[in-house]
PDB file of all heavy atoms in Angstrom:
ATOM      1  N   ILE Q1689      -1.717  44.934 -46.769  1.00  0.00           N
ATOM      2  CA  ILE Q1689      -1.739  46.266 -45.995  1.00  0.00           C
ATOM      3  C   ILE Q1689      -2.937  46.098 -45.007  1.00  0.00           C
ATOM      4  O   ILE Q1689      -4.018  45.800 -45.564  1.00  0.00           O
ATOM      5  CB  ILE Q1689      -1.655  47.494 -46.835  1.00  0.00           C
ATOM      6  CG1 ILE Q1689      -0.435  47.666 -47.606  1.00  0.00           C
ATOM      7  CG2 ILE Q1689      -2.030  48.693 -45.967  1.00  0.00           C
ATOM      8  CD1 ILE Q1689      -0.474  48.678 -48.603  1.00  0.00           C
ATOM      9  N   ASP Q1690      -2.693  46.274 -43.729  1.00  0.00           N
ATOM     10  CA  ASP Q1690      -3.686  45.937 -42.689  1.00  0.00           C
ATOM     11  C   ASP Q1690      -4.672  47.147 -42.423  1.00  0.00           C
ATOM     12  O   ASP Q1690      -5.811  46.912 -42.080  1.00  0.00           O
ATOM     13  CB  ASP Q1690      -3.017  45.501 -41.423  1.00  0.00           C
ATOM     14  CG  ASP Q1690      -2.128  44.259 -41.736  1.00  0.00           C
ATOM     15  OD1 ASP Q1690      -2.653  43.149 -42.135  1.00  0.00           O
ATOM     16  OD2 ASP Q1690      -0.877  44.401 -41.498  1.00  0.00           O
ATOM     17  N   ILE Q1691      -4.202  48.334 -42.425  1.00  0.00           N
ATOM     18  CA  ILE Q1691      -4.952  49.500 -41.871  1.00  0.00           C
ATOM     19  C   ILE Q1691      -4.802  50.641 -42.985  1.00  0.00           C
ATOM     20  O   ILE Q1691      -3.760  50.971 -43.398  1.00  0.00           O
ATOM     21  CB  ILE Q1691      -4.540  49.993 -40.631  1.00  0.00           C
ATOM     22  CG1 ILE Q1691      -4.540  48.823 -39.514  1.00  0.00           C
ATOM     23  CG2 ILE Q1691      -5.583  51.037 -40.040  1.00  0.00           C
ATOM     24  CD1 ILE Q1691      -4.038  49.207 -38.227  1.00  0.00           C
ATOM     25  N   LEU Q1692      -5.963  51.231 -43.264  1.00  0.00           N
ATOM     26  CA  LEU Q1692      -5.936  52.447 -44.180  1.00  0.00           C
ATOM     27  C   LEU Q1692      -6.313  53.616 -43.163  1.00  0.00           C
ATOM     28  O   LEU Q1692      -7.525  53.800 -42.901  1.00  0.00           O
ATOM     29  CB  LEU Q1692      -6.979  52.314 -45.318  1.00  0.00           C
ATOM     30  CG  LEU Q1692      -6.925  51.036 -46.067  1.00  0.00           C
ATOM     31  CD1 LEU Q1692      -7.986  50.856 -47.073  1.00  0.00           C
ATOM     32  CD2 LEU Q1692      -5.545  50.967 -46.865  1.00  0.00           C
ATOM     33  N   SER Q1693      -5.372  54.354 -42.828  1.00  0.00           N
ATOM     34  CA  SER Q1693      -5.483  55.369 -41.745  1.00  0.00           C
ATOM     35  C   SER Q1693      -5.613  56.800 -42.261  1.00  0.00           C
ATOM     36  O   SER Q1693      -5.047  57.117 -43.254  1.00  0.00           O
ATOM     37  CB  SER Q1693      -4.261  55.304 -40.824  1.00  0.00           C
ATOM     38  OG  SER Q1693      -4.214  53.970 -40.171  1.00  0.00           O
ATOM     39  N   PRO Q1694      -6.436  57.555 -41.577  1.00  0.00           N
ATOM     40  CA  PRO Q1694      -6.524  59.003 -41.984  1.00  0.00           C
ATOM     41  C   PRO Q1694      -5.602  59.889 -41.092  1.00  0.00           C
ATOM     42  O   PRO Q1694      -5.354  59.703 -39.889  1.00  0.00           O
ATOM     43  CB  PRO Q1694      -7.943  59.306 -41.667  1.00  0.00           C
ATOM     44  CG  PRO Q1694      -8.274  58.454 -40.410  1.00  0.00           C
ATOM     45  CD  PRO Q1694      -7.433  57.258 -40.582  1.00  0.00           C
ATOM     46  N   ASP Q1695      -5.022  60.890 -41.772  1.00  0.00           N
ATOM     47  CA  ASP Q1695      -4.372  61.947 -40.925  1.00  0.00           C
ATOM     48  C   ASP Q1695      -5.413  63.084 -40.891  1.00  0.00           C
ATOM     49  O   ASP Q1695      -5.770  63.676 -41.816  1.00  0.00           O
ATOM     50  CB  ASP Q1695      -3.086  62.470 -41.707  1.00  0.00           C
ATOM     51  CG  ASP Q1695      -2.012  61.417 -41.849  1.00  0.00           C
ATOM     52  OD1 ASP Q1695      -2.068  60.391 -41.036  1.00  0.00           O
ATOM     53  OD2 ASP Q1695      -1.108  61.550 -42.601  1.00  0.00           O
ATOM     54  N   ILE Q1696      -5.865  63.384 -39.608  1.00  0.00           N
ATOM     55  CA  ILE Q1696      -7.055  64.296 -39.520  1.00  0.00           C
ATOM     56  C   ILE Q1696      -6.534  65.583 -38.816  1.00  0.00           C
ATOM     57  O   ILE Q1696      -6.205  65.583 -37.620  1.00  0.00           O
ATOM     58  CB  ILE Q1696      -8.134  63.628 -38.572  1.00  0.00           C
ATOM     59  CG1 ILE Q1696      -8.397  62.183 -39.240  1.00  0.00           C
ATOM     60  CG2 ILE Q1696      -9.344  64.530 -38.639  1.00  0.00           C
ATOM     61  CD1 ILE Q1696      -9.589  61.517 -38.538  1.00  0.00           C
ATOM     62  N   TYR Q1697      -6.686  66.654 -39.466  1.00  0.00           N
ATOM     63  CA  TYR Q1697      -6.402  67.978 -38.957  1.00  0.00           C
ATOM     64  C   TYR Q1697      -7.651  68.907 -39.090  1.00  0.00           C
ATOM     65  O   TYR Q1697      -7.667  70.018 -38.607  1.00  0.00           O
ATOM     66  CB  TYR Q1697      -5.263  68.689 -39.663  1.00  0.00           C
ATOM     67  CG  TYR Q1697      -3.912  67.977 -39.366  1.00  0.00           C
ATOM     68  CD1 TYR Q1697      -3.441  67.068 -40.390  1.00  0.00           C
ATOM     69  CD2 TYR Q1697      -3.123  68.092 -38.210  1.00  0.00           C
ATOM     70  CE1 TYR Q1697      -2.296  66.366 -40.249  1.00  0.00           C
ATOM     71  CE2 TYR Q1697      -1.955  67.415 -38.017  1.00  0.00           C
ATOM     72  CZ  TYR Q1697      -1.594  66.651 -39.070  1.00  0.00           C
ATOM     73  OH  TYR Q1697      -0.333  65.881 -38.844  1.00  0.00           O
ATOM     74  N   LEU Q1698      -8.681  68.400 -39.720  1.00  0.00           N
ATOM     75  CA  LEU Q1698      -9.987  69.084 -39.930  1.00  0.00           C
ATOM     76  C   LEU Q1698     -10.795  69.066 -38.633  1.00  0.00           C
ATOM     77  O   LEU Q1698     -10.520  68.248 -37.704  1.00  0.00           O
ATOM     78  CB  LEU Q1698     -10.794  68.614 -41.055  1.00  0.00           C
ATOM     79  CG  LEU Q1698     -10.057  68.694 -42.446  1.00  0.00           C
ATOM     80  CD1 LEU Q1698     -10.925  68.055 -43.568  1.00  0.00           C
ATOM     81  CD2 LEU Q1698      -9.729  70.097 -42.722  1.00  0.00           C
ATOM     82  N   ASN Q1699     -11.899  69.954 -38.528  1.00  0.00           N
ATOM     83  CA  ASN Q1699     -12.512  70.118 -37.315  1.00  0.00           C
ATOM     84  C   ASN Q1699     -13.502  68.957 -36.958  1.00  0.00           C
ATOM     85  O   ASN Q1699     -13.567  68.609 -35.790  1.00  0.00           O
ATOM     86  CB  ASN Q1699     -13.410  71.344 -37.344  1.00  0.00           C
ATOM     87  CG  ASN Q1699     -12.492  72.615 -37.233  1.00  0.00           C
ATOM     88  OD1 ASN Q1699     -11.397  72.501 -36.551  1.00  0.00           O
ATOM     89  ND2 ASN Q1699     -12.885  73.741 -37.789  1.00  0.00           N
ATOM     90  N   ASP Q1700     -14.145  68.379 -38.020  1.00  0.00           N
ATOM     91  CA  ASP Q1700     -15.129  67.345 -37.653  1.00  0.00           C
ATOM     92  C   ASP Q1700     -14.558  66.068 -37.513  1.00  0.00           C
ATOM     93  O   ASP Q1700     -14.766  65.097 -38.367  1.00  0.00           O
ATOM     94  CB  ASP Q1700     -16.328  67.371 -38.689  1.00  0.00           C
ATOM     95  CG  ASP Q1700     -17.493  66.624 -38.285  1.00  0.00           C
ATOM     96  OD1 ASP Q1700     -17.495  66.124 -37.114  1.00  0.00           O
ATOM     97  OD2 ASP Q1700     -18.538  66.637 -38.951  1.00  0.00           O
ATOM     98  N   PHE Q1701     -13.772  65.832 -36.544  1.00  0.00           N
ATOM     99  CA  PHE Q1701     -13.033  64.536 -36.311  1.00  0.00           C
ATOM    100  C   PHE Q1701     -13.908  63.361 -36.285  1.00  0.00           C
ATOM    101  O   PHE Q1701     -13.662  62.439 -36.923  1.00  0.00           O
ATOM    102  CB  PHE Q1701     -12.232  64.730 -34.993  1.00  0.00           C
ATOM    103  CG  PHE Q1701     -11.346  63.534 -34.659  1.00  0.00           C
ATOM    104  CD1 PHE Q1701     -10.019  63.496 -35.200  1.00  0.00           C
ATOM    105  CD2 PHE Q1701     -11.801  62.468 -33.827  1.00  0.00           C
ATOM    106  CE1 PHE Q1701      -9.188  62.382 -34.913  1.00  0.00           C
ATOM    107  CE2 PHE Q1701     -11.019  61.423 -33.614  1.00  0.00           C
ATOM    108  CZ  PHE Q1701      -9.717  61.389 -34.029  1.00  0.00           C
ATOM    109  N   PRO Q1702     -15.057  63.264 -35.538  1.00  0.00           N
ATOM    110  CA  PRO Q1702     -15.835  62.130 -35.453  1.00  0.00           C
ATOM    111  C   PRO Q1702     -16.368  61.687 -36.821  1.00  0.00           C
ATOM    112  O   PRO Q1702     -16.282  60.532 -37.171  1.00  0.00           O
ATOM    113  CB  PRO Q1702     -17.017  62.535 -34.624  1.00  0.00           C
ATOM    114  CG  PRO Q1702     -16.466  63.583 -33.685  1.00  0.00           C
ATOM    115  CD  PRO Q1702     -15.487  64.437 -34.589  1.00  0.00           C
ATOM    116  N   HIS Q1703     -16.931  62.699 -37.690  1.00  0.00           N
ATOM    117  CA  HIS Q1703     -17.423  62.236 -38.963  1.00  0.00           C
ATOM    118  C   HIS Q1703     -16.363  61.637 -39.874  1.00  0.00           C
ATOM    119  O   HIS Q1703     -16.573  60.669 -40.537  1.00  0.00           O
ATOM    120  CB  HIS Q1703     -18.084  63.491 -39.625  1.00  0.00           C
ATOM    121  CG  HIS Q1703     -18.469  63.252 -40.973  1.00  0.00           C
ATOM    122  ND1 HIS Q1703     -19.567  62.504 -41.263  1.00  0.00           N
ATOM    123  CD2 HIS Q1703     -17.951  63.703 -42.196  1.00  0.00           C
ATOM    124  CE1 HIS Q1703     -19.649  62.355 -42.618  1.00  0.00           C
ATOM    125  NE2 HIS Q1703     -18.872  63.128 -43.235  1.00  0.00           N
ATOM    126  N   ILE Q1704     -15.239  62.201 -39.929  1.00  0.00           N
ATOM    127  CA  ILE Q1704     -14.166  61.808 -40.700  1.00  0.00           C
ATOM    128  C   ILE Q1704     -13.649  60.419 -40.274  1.00  0.00           C
ATOM    129  O   ILE Q1704     -13.429  59.490 -41.097  1.00  0.00           O
ATOM    130  CB  ILE Q1704     -12.860  62.762 -40.675  1.00  0.00           C
ATOM    131  CG1 ILE Q1704     -13.362  64.105 -41.261  1.00  0.00           C
ATOM    132  CG2 ILE Q1704     -11.699  62.205 -41.433  1.00  0.00           C
ATOM    133  CD1 ILE Q1704     -12.272  65.224 -41.050  1.00  0.00           C
ATOM    134  N   LEU Q1705     -13.609  60.225 -38.986  1.00  0.00           N
ATOM    135  CA  LEU Q1705     -13.052  58.978 -38.550  1.00  0.00           C
ATOM    136  C   LEU Q1705     -14.116  57.852 -38.756  1.00  0.00           C
ATOM    137  O   LEU Q1705     -13.739  56.711 -39.100  1.00  0.00           O
ATOM    138  CB  LEU Q1705     -12.828  59.018 -36.976  1.00  0.00           C
ATOM    139  CG  LEU Q1705     -12.012  57.910 -36.383  1.00  0.00           C
ATOM    140  CD1 LEU Q1705     -10.633  57.817 -37.022  1.00  0.00           C
ATOM    141  CD2 LEU Q1705     -11.828  58.147 -34.909  1.00  0.00           C
ATOM    142  N   GLN Q1706     -15.396  58.195 -38.717  1.00  0.00           N
ATOM    143  CA  GLN Q1706     -16.394  57.285 -39.093  1.00  0.00           C
ATOM    144  C   GLN Q1706     -16.354  56.769 -40.505  1.00  0.00           C
ATOM    145  O   GLN Q1706     -16.530  55.648 -40.932  1.00  0.00           O
ATOM    146  CB  GLN Q1706     -17.802  57.834 -38.740  1.00  0.00           C
ATOM    147  CG  GLN Q1706     -18.096  57.847 -37.257  1.00  0.00           C
ATOM    148  CD  GLN Q1706     -19.161  58.858 -36.927  1.00  0.00           C
ATOM    149  OE1 GLN Q1706     -19.980  59.305 -37.801  1.00  0.00           O
ATOM    150  NE2 GLN Q1706     -19.250  59.235 -35.683  1.00  0.00           N
ATOM    151  N   LEU Q1707     -15.977  57.757 -41.462  1.00  0.00           N
ATOM    152  CA  LEU Q1707     -15.854  57.402 -42.809  1.00  0.00           C
ATOM    153  C   LEU Q1707     -14.668  56.412 -43.032  1.00  0.00           C
ATOM    154  O   LEU Q1707     -14.760  55.481 -43.913  1.00  0.00           O
ATOM    155  CB  LEU Q1707     -15.505  58.690 -43.637  1.00  0.00           C
ATOM    156  CG  LEU Q1707     -16.566  59.610 -44.083  1.00  0.00           C
ATOM    157  CD1 LEU Q1707     -16.034  60.807 -44.757  1.00  0.00           C
ATOM    158  CD2 LEU Q1707     -17.707  58.888 -44.944  1.00  0.00           C
ATOM    159  N   TYR Q1708     -13.665  56.533 -42.325  1.00  0.00           N
ATOM    160  CA  TYR Q1708     -12.485  55.681 -42.348  1.00  0.00           C
ATOM    161  C   TYR Q1708     -12.638  54.363 -41.644  1.00  0.00           C
ATOM    162  O   TYR Q1708     -11.777  53.505 -41.758  1.00  0.00           O
ATOM    163  CB  TYR Q1708     -11.200  56.393 -41.983  1.00  0.00           C
ATOM    164  CG  TYR Q1708     -10.718  57.272 -43.045  1.00  0.00           C
ATOM    165  CD1 TYR Q1708     -11.246  58.567 -43.193  1.00  0.00           C
ATOM    166  CD2 TYR Q1708      -9.722  56.919 -43.854  1.00  0.00           C
ATOM    167  CE1 TYR Q1708     -10.855  59.436 -44.294  1.00  0.00           C
ATOM    168  CE2 TYR Q1708      -9.184  57.765 -44.911  1.00  0.00           C
ATOM    169  CZ  TYR Q1708      -9.764  58.986 -45.162  1.00  0.00           C
ATOM    170  OH  TYR Q1708      -9.424  59.801 -46.071  1.00  0.00           O
ATOM    171  N   ALA Q1709     -13.689  54.233 -40.848  1.00  0.00           N
ATOM    172  CA  ALA Q1709     -13.937  52.918 -40.183  1.00  0.00           C
ATOM    173  C   ALA Q1709     -14.914  52.044 -40.883  1.00  0.00           C
ATOM    174  O   ALA Q1709     -15.263  50.963 -40.313  1.00  0.00           O
ATOM    175  CB  ALA Q1709     -14.453  53.250 -38.704  1.00  0.00           C
ATOM    176  N   ARG Q1710     -15.323  52.362 -42.043  1.00  0.00           N
ATOM    177  CA  ARG Q1710     -16.274  51.587 -42.759  1.00  0.00           C
ATOM    178  C   ARG Q1710     -15.739  50.279 -43.235  1.00  0.00           C
ATOM    179  O   ARG Q1710     -14.614  50.187 -43.329  1.00  0.00           O
ATOM    180  CB  ARG Q1710     -16.893  52.330 -43.968  1.00  0.00           C
ATOM    181  CG  ARG Q1710     -17.665  53.570 -43.627  1.00  0.00           C
ATOM    182  CD  ARG Q1710     -18.211  54.328 -44.860  1.00  0.00           C
ATOM    183  NE  ARG Q1710     -17.057  54.840 -45.652  1.00  0.00           N
ATOM    184  CZ  ARG Q1710     -17.329  55.379 -46.801  1.00  0.00           C
ATOM    185  NH1 ARG Q1710     -18.511  55.461 -47.401  1.00  0.00           N
ATOM    186  NH2 ARG Q1710     -16.271  55.857 -47.604  1.00  0.00           N
TER     187      ARG Q1710
END
Side-chain angles (χ1 to χ4, degrees):
I1689 293 172
D1690 301 299
I1691 309 174
L1692 309 174
S1693 295
D1695 292 345
I1696 308 178
Y1697 298 97
L1698 297 179
N1699 286 332
D1700 196 356
F1701 183 87
H1703 173 69
I1704 295 166
L1705 200 56
Q1706 288 159 17
L1707 280 178
Y1708 280 79
R1710 294 179 298 174

